[in-house]
Amino acid sequence: MIPAVRGTHDILPGEIERWQHVERTARSLCDRYGYVEVRTPVIEREELFAKGTGETTDIVQKEMYSFTDKGGERITLRPEATPSMVRAFVEHSLEHALPAAKLYSMGPMFRYERPQKGRYRQFHQLDVEIFGLDDAAVDAEVIDLAWSLVRELGIEQIELLINSVGCADCRPAFQAALLAALGDDLPKLCQDCQRRAATNPLRIYDCKVPADQPIIDRLPHSIDYLDEKCATHFAAVRRHLDTWGIPWTLSHRLVRGLDYYTRTTFEILGRTLGAQNALLGGGRYDGLVKQLGGPDRTGIGFAAGLERLVLALPEGAGAGTTPRAFVAAIGEEARDEALRLLRELRQAGLAASMEFEGRSMKAQMKRADRLGARVTLIVGGDELARGEVTLRDMRGSEQRPVRRTEAVEAARSILGGR
Ligand code: HAM
């Protein structure tokens, strides 16, 4: 047996129903909020992430699946969707086709992380991005979509964290204050933090090393260094959230692990998840589109980890499959007629199954039960002769004959459907 690659998973019957439930809910919400779907390739040029996600991030420094292809090109399996979405927006000049582009995408991402519950090497995201809308109400709307998704899935014990990391104008003052406050404590921090202090001091807030935490907790807060425009914007975001009754908590440490964020950042945590508890995260990235060669358009979005949403779903979510009919054939000569009926049912839009091994009536009824059939249509020699089938309602176990010509409609009346 050749097992699956570490950190990857097969999603099997029994679990797939929960996935489909999450995906259906996500699509339906995105549609209601006015987002259109795009699908971008899983492979991109390595430089897209070096430039987009950022050279100083853990993702680019340690976690990318990159290789040189047979043509000598450096290729990366996407570790996140945002740079790909921006690339597609720029490459197809979507700012003309869609003046306020609201896009979403779903699919696999790849990060070479240490696998544990809720953290995998191949995982899946719902990614949502808006280009070209600057108003604080848009930030609030994106957060509302994220919040509504988690709520609509019935996930309890959630917490919305928000912060503002400022913009290119006010960030330098904050970074300077941060380094000044660190002062003599810098050599006491872990190696990673010392590297971060030199490359991107904001990353220090991401540090999880316990010994570093008391020092980091004393560091200044980005919202105290916002310029007037950023401060006004963030106040408006909070006001809109209040208007919609979405409860938020300000988290000074929420700088997020990617380099492109400006102004609003947010995460929704699931309290039942354990260590990897971020159900989703996102924020504004007003310079990224231009940085990746596009027009000067702002951006904001988030990505939700589908594995984590599935893990946090309540028991029994997504259960309840399409009601199904079963066709049972008694005897060889009834088999052709049963096959004809099976196809008629399917063509009429109903879910229908049959057993092809020619087993006993008892075995066929057992199969119908195992499949959870709501109705069984029995075709035997007697029925054939009378131009009928026997219709068995599997819940009450009542049986009655119906005209063969009316069999599909009789099944539909029990199963429902179009
Ligand atoms: P991120 O915080 O890196 O942001 O990932 C978003 C979500 O993906 C996380 O909150 C988590 O649920 C899930 N996730 C990340 N890594 C893993 C993993 N190894 N295993 C399982 N789930 C994982 C982004 O990716 C940004 N592109 C979000 C964004 C969109 N910002 C603006 N627009």
Side-chain angles (χ1 to χ4, degrees):
M1 204 258 307
I2 302 166
V5 173
R6 186 165 137 81
T8 71
H9 289 278
D10 301 308
I11 306 166
L12 301 175
E15 208 201 347
I16 197 77
E17 296 76 11
R18 290 164 71 81
W19 278 80
Q20 290 169 343
H21 174 60
V22 168
E23 289 163 2
R24 263 196 311 271
T25 309
R27 280 183 199 289
S28 150
L29 261 167
C30 286
D31 185 38
R32 273 181 271 158
Y33 277 70
Y35 290 80
V36 290
E37 184 179 3
V38 294
R39 297 184 190 187
T40 64
V42 167
I43 52 173
E44 296 275 4
R45 289 167 203 269
E46 185 178 38
E47 62 188 311
L48 178 69
F49 303 105
K51 239 179 150 178
T53 310
E55 291 282 10
T56 70
T57 59
D58 280 356
I59 291 179
V60 171
Q61 292 199 342
K62 310 184 205 163
E63 296 169 3
M64 294 210 298
Y65 280 89
S66 296
F67 60 95
T68 307
D69 73 6
K70 290 184 173 39
E73 191 143 29
R74 288 295 291 167
I75 299 290
T76 295
L77 298 185
R78 62 180 180 194
E80 58 143 344
T82 308
S84 305
M85 299 286 264
V86 174
R87 179 197 53 69
F89 177 77
V90 173
E91 193 166 340
H92 305 288
S93 303
L94 290 183
E95 78 273 16
H96 302 306
L98 308 163
K102 296 172 77 170
L103 310 175
Y104 81 92
S105 197
M106 264 194 270
M109 308 289 150
F110 305 84
R111 297 185 193 176
Y112 193 80
E113 295 193 87
R114 198 170 51 76
Q116 64 181 89
K117 184 182 165 203
R119 187 165 73 190
Y120 312 103
R121 291 185 173 166
Q122 173 172 336
F123 60 99
H124 299 75
Q125 284 185 342
L126 162 71
D127 185 75
V128 165
E129 313 288 358
I130 298 189
F131 299 111
L133 292 178
D134 311 345
D135 198 280
V138 175
D139 303 40
E141 194 204 68
V142 169
I143 296 173
D144 173 34
L145 170 61
W147 183 256
S148 301
L149 171 65
V150 178
R151 291 302 304 270
E152 203 154 300
L153 288 170
I155 298 173
E156 306 274 356
Q157 299 184 53
I158 52 175
E159 186 178 15
L160 166 65
L161 304 181
I162 59 170
N163 193 19
S164 174
V165 293
C167 66
D169 294 337
C170 52
R171 180 89 46 85
F174 172 54
Q175 289 197 352
L178 182 64
L179 290 174
L182 265 178
D184 296 343
D185 284 337
L186 181 57
K188 296 183 200 151
L189 292 179
C190 68
Q191 288 297 317
D192 267 349
C193 280
Q194 304 207 19
R195 181 176 49 76
R196 289 165 177 147
T199 54
N200 185 350
L202 252 65
R203 289 276 80 78
I204 290 174
Y205 288 94
D206 295 337
C207 176
K208 303 265 166 18
V209 175
D212 290 4
Q213 301 310 309
I215 298 174
I216 296 172
D217 284 338
R218 286 197 300 271
L219 294 177
H221 299 159
S222 56
I223 60 158
D224 296 329
Y225 293 84
L226 298 181
D227 63 20
E228 204 189 320
K229 280 188 186 158
C230 289
T232 308
H233 184 90
F234 193 45
V237 174
R238 286 174 292 178
R239 206 177 55 243
H240 291 307
L241 291 176
D242 290 341
T243 305
W244 282 335
I246 299 171
W248 50 268
T249 305
L250 183 64
S251 168
H252 300 295
R253 302 255 324 233
L254 191 68
V255 294
R256 308 258 311 125
L258 310 155
D259 277 357
Y260 45 66
Y261 289 112
T262 55
R263 295 192 165 175
T264 315
T265 53
F266 62 96
E267 280 186 1
I268 295 181
L269 307 182
R271 291 287 172 221
T272 58
L273 278 179
Q276 301 303 318
N277 64 353
L279 290 165
L280 58 86
R284 199 166 256 294
Y285 48 87
D286 289 345
L288 186 61
V289 178
K290 191 156 182 223
Q291 195 186 323
L292 291 177
D296 196 0
R297 290 285 191 287
T298 57
I300 179 167
F302 73 86
L306 299 188
E307 281 78 4
R308 295 189 192 175
L309 292 177
V310 167
L311 270 171
L313 278 183
E315 195 83 23
T321 44
T322 328
R324 174 167 293 275
F326 188 85
V327 181
I330 310 170
E332 199 42 47
E333 84 272 33
R335 196 165 184 264
D336 282 356
E337 188 56 30
L339 284 168
R340 215 172 284 134
L341 176 57
L342 174 69
R343 187 156 189 278
E344 273 175 37
L345 289 161
R346 290 172 173 167
Q347 295 286 312
L350 301 173
S353 302
M354 195 174 143
E355 186 267 354
F356 294 113
E357 293 92 339
R359 282 192 288 193
S360 71
M361 189 61 196
K362 197 169 155 213
Q364 291 188 58
M365 293 313 281
K366 232 180 172 170
R367 172 76 62 89
D369 265 340
R370 275 194 51 198
L371 286 170
R374 260 298 269 113
V375 60
T376 298
L377 298 125
I378 303 162
V379 189
D382 293 349
E383 281 90 352
L384 268 186
R386 288 198 300 267
E388 290 176 349
V389 303
T390 299
L391 188 125
R392 184 182 173 102
D393 187 325
M394 301 296 280
R395 280 200 293 207
S397 298
E398 298 146 21
Q399 288 194 180
R400 64 184 165 93
V402 296
R403 304 286 316 151
R404 168 65 181 86
T405 49
E406 287 155 20
V408 172
E409 281 319 305
R412 191 200 302 285
S413 70
I414 295 178
L415 297 176
R418 74 178 153 90

